[in-house]
């Protein structure tokens, strides 16, 4: 079931949570709403669910207007950051409940409910916990039960609000992969909210980056990462080094350094972003964008992170592979030169809203 | 007359009185819980007009002495043609009074259940009433039991006030026996012991209910 968001506006008092948001989620897609807190991503998700009413605009499910359909009739599955399991019921009853309170005419028989619940508990690999109460489970287990519960009513769309936000790093990573696999298996149209760019990029088919109640960019994870459409998206998707320069013709100039641009954004003052792994560290001064003194070296793991203090008080960050680092044999306190492999350039006074 | 003989004569009278006390307490508890829940519901659901009336009712009941309420119902209402038997008037006054307190405990407990529980229930396709009935109310009950019990134990003792409208419950029965025997100390102490026994057995009920509701929260 596809979801269409048309011209949605939402205010809370003086605060604009959503400012003319348009988005289409294709049937069977897994889409991430990514952005910092307060960007409107959760509000948008709750409006899709019907837990919140938009001030203006429409929500369409499979082409049909659902804007005024009550949440209990929208047939959405909703997974909450803090699980919201029914604490006074066993795991089995939690999952079964959406089915067992249905009107008699459309209610499956006791045996059917039992089979279905056990099947779902097997799907989330927790069938052995059927008789436990939510209070007896770990966070990761609770969230998997919450997912099984939302799937029991065969939702047309599955909505997840920071589903792994309250879990520790290891469990979060496991569940991420597991959600991806689950989605590949059942193919229900899914939207999930996260502020973790790694999570969004790893799990989803498409990422919607939001800020200040607006959509900044929509695209496939690698597309968004490689071609961020605005300074905000560039900064939000990962660590960056920022340089101020100018675009003249087909060149970006930063001090004495000149970088050819294949597709210049225009002319004028510019912001140039270079990701740490796109900075080449060397001892040779030729073609260098910047130079400085090595301040710190973090050499844990396969990548080595080097902090370089430039003369003008800026600290730049470069990441290189351990082998490259070994060959260079840099020590703290040494002078090094930095050269960009790839630069994302935006005009300083540009308007990048879409 | 020694104490044994005294209690042998007074015993049956006091026990009959205690039965009336129990009748008042249990009737007002059951009716009060039902009325209190209804009042809490209309206030939580913010039913227009009705919720304002409910708020006024709660304020009026909590803001006036129970004794005055009993007088108004038993001696006042006949003035406008509404007459009650003493027992009915007593149960009515106690119910109206205790329901106001109970409704506030329930309202607080319902508000104390996380908002996410409502969202979860509604998104699973429950109606408002189903969400309340199966998800919110059972969890609110657990939160409400200690403060509900406070009101209900007070109620057991408040039944002594209906003695003013000629109902021979435990208090009035005690006074009558004292009038015949001139032994206030042992008889008042006996009455106090009976009130305490009633309250203590109610506390046992409370403990059981709590243990039952606590099952899901044990680790």
């Amino acid at each position: 079931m596809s979801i269409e968001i048309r011209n949605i506006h939402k205010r809370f008092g003086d605060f604009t949570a959503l400012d003319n948001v348009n988005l289409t989620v294709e049937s069977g897609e897994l889409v991430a709403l990514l952005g910092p807190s307060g960007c409107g991503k959760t509000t948008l998700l709750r409006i899709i669910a019907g837990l919140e009413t938009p001030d203006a605009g429409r929500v369409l499910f499979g082409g049909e207007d659902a804007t005024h359909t009550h949440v209990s009739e929208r047939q959405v599955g909703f997974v909450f950051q803090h699980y919201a399991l029914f604490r006074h019921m066993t795991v089995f009853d939690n999952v079964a409940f959406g089915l067992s309170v249905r009107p008699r005419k459309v209610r499956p028989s006791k045996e059917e409910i039992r089979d279905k619940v056990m099947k779902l508990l097997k799907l989330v690999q927790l069938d052995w916990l059927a008789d436990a109460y939510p209070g007896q489970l770990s966070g990761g287990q609770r969230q998997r039960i919450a997912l099984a519960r939302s799937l029991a009513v065969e939702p047309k769309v599955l909505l997840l609000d920071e589903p792994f936000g309250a879990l520790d790093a290891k469990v979060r990573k496991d569940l991420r992969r597991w959600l991806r696999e689950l989605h590949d298996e059942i193919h229900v149209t899914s939207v999930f909210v996260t502020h973790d760019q790694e999570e969004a990029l790893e799990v989803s088919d498409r990422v919607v980056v939001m800020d200040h109640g607006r959509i900044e960019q929509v695209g496939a994870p690698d597309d968004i990462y490689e071609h961020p459409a605005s300074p905000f998206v560039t900064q939000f998707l990962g660590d960056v080094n920022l340089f101020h320069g100018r675009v003249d013709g087909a060149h970006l100039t930063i001090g004495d350094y000149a970088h050819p641009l294949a597709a210049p954004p225009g002319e004028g003052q510019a912001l140039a972003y270079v990701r740490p792994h796109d900075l080449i560290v060397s001892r040779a001064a030729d073609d260098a964008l910047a130079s400085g003194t090595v301040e710190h070296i973090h050499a844990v793991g396969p990548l080595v992170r080097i902090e370089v203090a430039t003369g003008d008080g800026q600290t730049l960050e470069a990441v290189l592979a351990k082998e490259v680092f070994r060959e260079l044999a840099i020590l703290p306190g040494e002078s090094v030169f930095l050269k960009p492999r790839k630069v994302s350039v935006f005009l300083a006074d540009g308007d990048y809203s879409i | 007359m020694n104490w044994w003989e005294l209690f042998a004569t007074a015993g049956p009278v006091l026990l009959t009185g205690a039965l009336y006390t129990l009748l008042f307490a249990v009737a007002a508890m059951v009716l009060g819980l039902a009325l209190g829940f209804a009042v809490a519901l209309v206030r939580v659901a913010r039913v227009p007009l009705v919720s304002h009336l409910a708020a006024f009712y709660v304020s009026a009941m909590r803001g006036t002495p129970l004794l005055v309420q009993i007088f108004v119902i038993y001696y006042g209402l006949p003035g406008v043609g509404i007459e009650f038997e003493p027992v009915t008037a007593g149960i009515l006054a106690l119910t109206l009074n205790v329901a106001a307190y109970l409704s506030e405990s329930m309202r607080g407990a319902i508000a104390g259940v996380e908002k996410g529980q409502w969202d979860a229930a509604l998104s699973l396709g429950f109606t408002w009433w189903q969400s309340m009935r199966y998800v919110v109310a059972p969890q609110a009950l657990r939160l409400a039991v200690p403060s509900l019990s406070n009101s209900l134990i007070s109620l057991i003792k408040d039944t002594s006030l209906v003695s003013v409208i000629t109902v021979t419950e435990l208090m009035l029965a005690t006074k009558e026996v004292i009038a015949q025997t001139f032994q206030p100390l042992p008889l008042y102490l006996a009455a106090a012991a009976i009130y305490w026994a009633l309250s203590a057995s109610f506390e046992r009920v409370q403990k059981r209910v709590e243990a039952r509701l606590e099952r899901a929260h044990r680790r």
Side-chain angles (χ1 to χ4, degrees):
Chain A
M1 175 90 39
S2 69
I3 308 167
E4 285 164 74
I5 314 289
R6 299 249 182 95
N7 308 97
I8 292 281
H9 289 265
K10 178 73 181 176
R11 297 174 71 87
F12 295 106
D14 283 340
F15 178 73
T16 304
L18 294 172
D19 182 9
N20 195 26
V21 171
N22 283 282
L23 178 69
T24 302
V25 180
E26 301 298 340
S27 193
E29 221 180 1
L30 175 54
V31 165
L33 301 180
L34 173 67
S37 32
C39 75
K41 55 192 192 299
T42 294
T43 306
L44 181 58
L45 192 77
R46 291 176 63 87
I47 284 177
I48 297 174
L51 291 167
E52 212 80 67
T53 333
D55 297 335
R58 297 199 296 156
V59 178
L60 280 70
F61 277 12
E64 276 178 43
D65 196 335
T67 318
H68 301 290
T69 311
H70 189 257
V71 43
S72 60
E73 317 210 310
R74 253 185 224 204
Q75 294 179 268
V76 296
F78 204 103
V79 177
F80 300 85
Q81 180 177 4
H82 296 289
Y83 329 122
L85 290 176
F86 304 139
R87 302 187 55 179
H88 59 302
M89 293 180 198
T90 62
V91 162
F92 181 93
D93 289 337
N94 261 278
V95 179
F97 216 52
L99 296 172
S100 53
V101 299
R102 281 191 177 167
R104 204 173 294 275
K105 269 186 288 173
V106 287
R107 190 193 309 157
S109 73
K110 272 222 161 84
E111 292 71 39
E112 281 169 326
I113 293 180
R114 201 182 162 77
D115 290 350
K116 178 144 195 197
V117 171
M118 291 319 285
K119 218 175 104 193
L120 279 165
L121 288 178
K122 279 204 183 80
L123 183 71
V124 299
Q125 299 152 13
L126 289 176
D127 45 326
W128 52 286
L129 283 174
D131 296 326
Y133 283 98
Q136 299 161 331
L137 309 185
S138 71
Q141 289 169 338
R142 282 185 217 187
Q143 198 55 299
R144 281 190 276 163
I145 297 302
L147 196 57
R149 179 180 70 176
S150 68
L151 291 174
V153 291
E154 291 180 8
K156 294 187 204 160
V157 301
L158 182 60
L159 307 170
L160 308 101
D161 183 12
E162 307 236 5
F164 313 133
L167 303 171
D168 59 55
K170 167 92 174 69
V171 179
R172 195 153 71 214
K173 220 160 177 183
D174 288 348
L175 280 192
R176 242 190 243 169
R177 190 174 325 123
W178 177 82
L179 174 66
R180 179 73 249 179
E181 286 166 10
L182 183 80
H183 184 264
D184 290 344
E185 201 174 314
I186 60 177
H187 273 299
V188 60
T189 310
S190 308
V191 180
F192 81 101
V193 156
T194 179
H195 60 258
D196 179 345
Q197 84 280 0
E198 215 182 299
E199 188 168 293
L201 295 173
E202 186 182 317
V203 176
S204 60
D205 297 324
R206 277 200 305 155
V207 180
V208 177
V209 186
M210 295 182 67
D211 189 34
H212 291 118
R214 296 167 142 263
I215 292 180
E216 290 268 330
Q217 189 174 4
V218 183
D222 60 329
D223 187 34
I224 284 206
Y225 191 81
E226 292 301 326
H227 309 287
S230 68
F232 172 79
V233 176
T234 315
Q235 291 181 44
F236 198 76
L237 287 190
D239 296 333
V240 279
N241 297 295
L242 170 63
F243 300 92
H244 296 273
R246 272 194 71 79
V247 178
D248 290 303
H251 277 86
L252 165 75
T253 51
I254 302 165
D256 297 334
Y257 174 79
H259 190 90
L261 296 174
E267 298 241 335
Q269 295 295 322
L271 304 170
Y273 294 93
V274 183
R275 298 226 179 264
H277 59 256
D278 285 330
L279 270 185
I280 302 166
V281 182
S282 82
R283 288 211 168 78
D286 38 289
D287 284 345
L289 163 63
S291 64
T293 318
V294 175
E295 251 188 350
H296 289 290
I297 298 175
H298 306 275
V300 180
L303 294 175
V304 180
R305 200 153 58 85
I306 298 179
E307 284 172 30
V308 177
T310 63
D312 53 7
Q314 207 186 350
T315 302
L316 301 175
E317 197 181 301
V319 169
L320 29 142
K322 201 148 218 169
E323 301 80 63
V324 179
F325 171 74
R326 284 212 187 97
E327 259 170 49
L328 279 169
I330 307 171
L331 294 170
E334 269 187 82
S335 287
V336 291
F337 296 91
L338 299 167
K339 195 177 140 184
R341 203 175 277 129
K342 182 171 171 290
V343 190
S344 300
V345 185
F346 302 95
L347 290 183
D349 53 2
D351 179 10
Y352 298 99
S353 55
I354 57 170
Chain B
M1 197 170 1
N2 69 26
W3 282 25
W4 283 122
E5 287 172 45
L6 179 62
F7 286 134
T9 20
V13 186
L14 291 192
L15 286 180
T16 316
L19 273 179
Y20 268 98
T21 290
L22 199 60
L23 165 76
F24 278 112
V26 170
M29 265 183 209
V30 173
L31 296 173
L33 283 168
L35 177 61
F37 186 52
V39 169
L41 275 187
V42 297
R43 293 192 72 186
V44 169
R46 298 214 181 86
V47 182
L49 195 69
V50 187
S51 67
H52 285 98
L53 283 174
F56 169 76
Y57 153 76
V58 170
S59 175
M61 283 296 151
R62 294 201 304 175
T64 55
L66 175 58
L67 196 56
V68 175
Q69 293 161 14
I70 294 172
F71 279 144
V72 168
I73 288 173
Y74 187 65
Y75 295 115
L77 288 184
V80 290
I82 307 171
E83 272 183 59
F84 293 109
E85 293 293 309
V87 173
T88 321
I91 291 175
L92 186 62
L94 289 169
T95 300
L96 288 175
N97 182 273
V98 78
Y101 288 93
L102 296 176
S103 78
E104 281 299 87
S105 301
M106 293 184 199
R107 198 168 65 94
I110 289 169
V113 175
E114 285 168 69
K115 175 114 196 342
Q117 296 284 312
W118 280 105
D119 288 348
L122 291 172
S123 71
L124 282 175
F126 292 22
T127 61
W128 187 92
W129 172 246
Q130 286 174 323
S131 306
M132 175 61 88
R133 162 81 181 76
Y134 297 112
V135 175
V136 177
Q139 298 185 72
L141 184 60
R142 172 172 166 272
L143 300 176
V145 166
S147 93
L148 292 179
S149 303
N150 259 345
S151 302
L152 293 176
I153 285 176
S154 287
L155 169 69
I156 294 175
K157 297 174 295 172
D158 287 346
T159 54
S160 62
L161 288 174
V162 299
S163 62
V164 298
I165 51 172
T166 72
V167 179
T168 316
E169 44 64 72
L170 179 54
M171 195 62 210
L172 193 56
T174 311
K175 283 183 183 166
E176 281 171 2
V177 183
I178 291 171
Q180 294 158 16
T181 59
F182 308 107
Q183 293 272 12
L185 182 65
L187 290 172
Y188 278 135
L189 284 179
I194 294 175
Y195 279 115
W196 190 13
L198 289 176
S199 301
S201 46
F202 183 80
E203 276 169 20
R204 290 194 69 102
V205 175
Q206 177 194 349
K207 276 222 176 88
R208 286 199 149 187
V209 173
E210 277 180 4
R212 215 189 128 77
L213 294 172
E214 212 49 44
R215 260 192 330 200
H217 296 264
R218 271 200 316 252
R219 293 193 133 254

